[in-house]
Amino acid sequence: MTIAATRQGESASKTSHSHAPDPGGSVAADGAAVPDGTVRYLRIGDLVLESGARLPDATLGYETWGTLNAERSNAVLIEHALTGDTHVTRGASAEPGWWEQLAGPGAPVDTGKYFVVSINILGGCYGSTGPSSTAPDGKPWGSRFPLVTLRDTTDAEARLADALGIRSWYAVLGGSLGGARALEWAVSYPDRVRRCGVISIGASSTAEQIAFAQAQTLAIRQDPNFNGGDYYGGPGPEAGLALARRIAHITYRSAAELDGRFGRNAQDSEAPLRAGSLAGRGRYQVESYLDHQGNKLVRRFDANSYIAITEALMSHDVCRGRGALTEALAPATAAFLVAAVDSDRLYFPEQSRALAAALPGNVAVHTIEAPIGHDGFLTEIGQLNTQLRQHFFG
């Protein structure tokens, strides 16, 4: 999904910034106060992944807001989506967060009441160990970075929760990839999740969703500068990453939104139908829009991380090794909130309804009405304020 983030990802290998957090999450190891909304780093040790591969000395980047209470019962984990970072809301920073309708002072997840945590996904480029991080041999992981699944990253996040002194989350929630991460938490660690919000995602990635994802990763891999994933120190696969973003962004928006916003209009003075050659033709407005989205992502994201996280999303299947859907979900003890965007053509509302029907208890599906498509889970999360305040964060 689209995240309007301007922060630059910092390598998780920057261990000079790493520290063991205090249980309250507000004081660094050296005793200095850590402002809300500041990226911090925690080394969580070696991880044995689902694939059997070992990821040594992994680090997670994270941010917190608010204070963990004495009972350690008010912690809320908000999971970011595909190209997101940890900056959910402002805190002490002047920089806007990407989900301020949801979290912040006076918001449904009130940072004056709850201790909010956001963790950069394993494989990312905003503080957690990923392909651009330094491997034990002193070189970037690059092509050697192992496949990381959502279960792997959930296990890693559980270690960070342990370090923060959080045995049980008051709630875990997210949208899109973030919703898949929240669901995996509720099933993998049922005794540690009391409430779970799963928004704009189903129980697994479908064949069509994997197909869209494969087209994106292939666009990057076929860039001449990709160099098999070992492009660090040289030109990066910017054209491939920008193309991957264009493909993705089409799925994040609805046909009606694109047509209503751009129609068949030409971009400014460009003339798509007046060119002496195919190479010289002008662009339609929608082409210019996709160019902008692609170029914007290139300035802030690592191409290998895009592949790693996309493949983690391909791995999303809550049933893997757990039986049929109802059987797989049976261990979950959390109270669930499931929501879908009515115009979503990437993760269809039918997937949310199938998930809700299989969950223990009588779980309703709340509809976010948004003409723009999948990205409506971000822009229109305020439509769930009543449900969130009454049933989750009252």
Side-chain angles (χ1 to χ4, degrees), residues 40-354:
R40 287 180 276 169
Y41 310 88
L42 177 71
R43 295 170 68 171
I44 59 171
D46 297 356
L47 291 171
V48 177
L49 307 175
E50 262 199 285
S51 66
R54 176 177 162 273
L55 184 62
D57 195 21
T59 294
L60 290 180
Y62 70 103
E63 294 183 39
T64 68
W65 299 260
T67 303
L68 187 63
N69 62 19
E71 298 79 17
R72 303 172 189 246
S73 62
N74 68 332
V76 176
L77 176 61
I78 298 179
E79 302 277 37
H80 68 74
L82 185 70
T83 58
D85 63 10
T86 54
H87 200 58
V88 174
T89 190
R90 293 170 197 253
S93 167
E95 182 182 348
W98 49 263
W99 225 0
E100 294 200 343
Q101 289 185 60
L102 176 71
V109 189
D110 190 339
T111 50
K113 180 178 180 181
Y114 297 100
F115 179 60
V116 177
V117 181
S118 181
I119 307 171
N120 185 222
I121 192 170
L122 201 63
C125 55
Y126 283 105
S128 293
T129 297
S132 61
S133 303
T134 304
D137 63 0
K139 300 177 181 179
W141 275 102
S143 63
R144 301 171 297 161
F145 191 77
L147 173 69
V148 173
T149 68
L150 295 190
R151 293 186 194 178
D152 293 327
T153 200
T154 301
D155 291 343
E157 291 172 358
R159 294 191 189 183
L160 188 143
D162 291 341
L164 291 174
I166 299 167
R167 292 301 308 158
S168 174
W169 295 104
Y170 180 91
V172 181
L173 71 161
S176 193
L177 170 66
R181 296 167 69 187
L183 180 62
E184 192 60 51
W185 253 104
V187 175
S188 292
Y189 294 93
D191 58 334
R192 302 190 68 169
V193 180
R194 284 173 280 158
R195 296 164 184 81
C196 182
V198 183
I199 304 169
S200 296
I201 196 78
S204 64
S205 291
T206 66
E208 181 181 58
Q209 289 147 7
I210 292 171
F212 279 128
Q214 191 260 4
Q216 295 166 49
T217 59
L218 191 60
I220 297 171
R221 289 186 166 111
Q222 291 188 339
D223 186 304
N225 291 330
F226 183 62
N227 193 32
D230 296 315
Y231 51 81
Y232 302 110
E238 294 185 357
L241 178 58
L243 177 56
R245 184 59 159 191
R246 289 177 179 88
I247 296 167
H249 202 78
I250 294 167
T251 70
Y252 300 155
R253 298 286 170 150
S254 70
E257 196 258 349
L258 292 176
D259 195 55
R261 185 172 176 182
F262 303 110
R264 293 188 49 80
N265 297 323
Q267 172 65 15
D268 296 334
S269 60
E270 298 183 35
L273 300 181
R274 295 179 185 175
S277 67
L278 290 176
R281 79 163 181 84
R283 296 172 299 171
Y284 293 97
Q285 283 184 1
V286 69
E287 293 177 291
S288 175
Y289 170 69
L290 292 175
D291 289 346
H292 170 72
Q293 294 298 327
N295 294 332
K296 185 168 67 171
L297 184 72
V298 164
R299 293 193 296 269
R300 69 172 183 87
F301 215 79
D302 177 56
N304 272 329
S305 278
Y306 194 98
I307 292 173
I309 300 171
T310 298
E311 294 197 352
L313 183 54
M314 288 186 191
S315 81
H316 172 49
D317 180 4
V318 77
C319 296
R320 187 171 62 254
R322 294 168 173 157
L325 184 56
T326 53
E327 182 182 359
L329 297 173
T333 57
F336 278 87
L337 183 148
V338 177
V341 178
D342 59 357
S343 59
D344 197 334
R345 61 175 175 177
L346 177 58
Y347 292 97
F348 296 101
E350 290 80 2
Q351 291 177 262
S352 296
R353 288 193 282 269

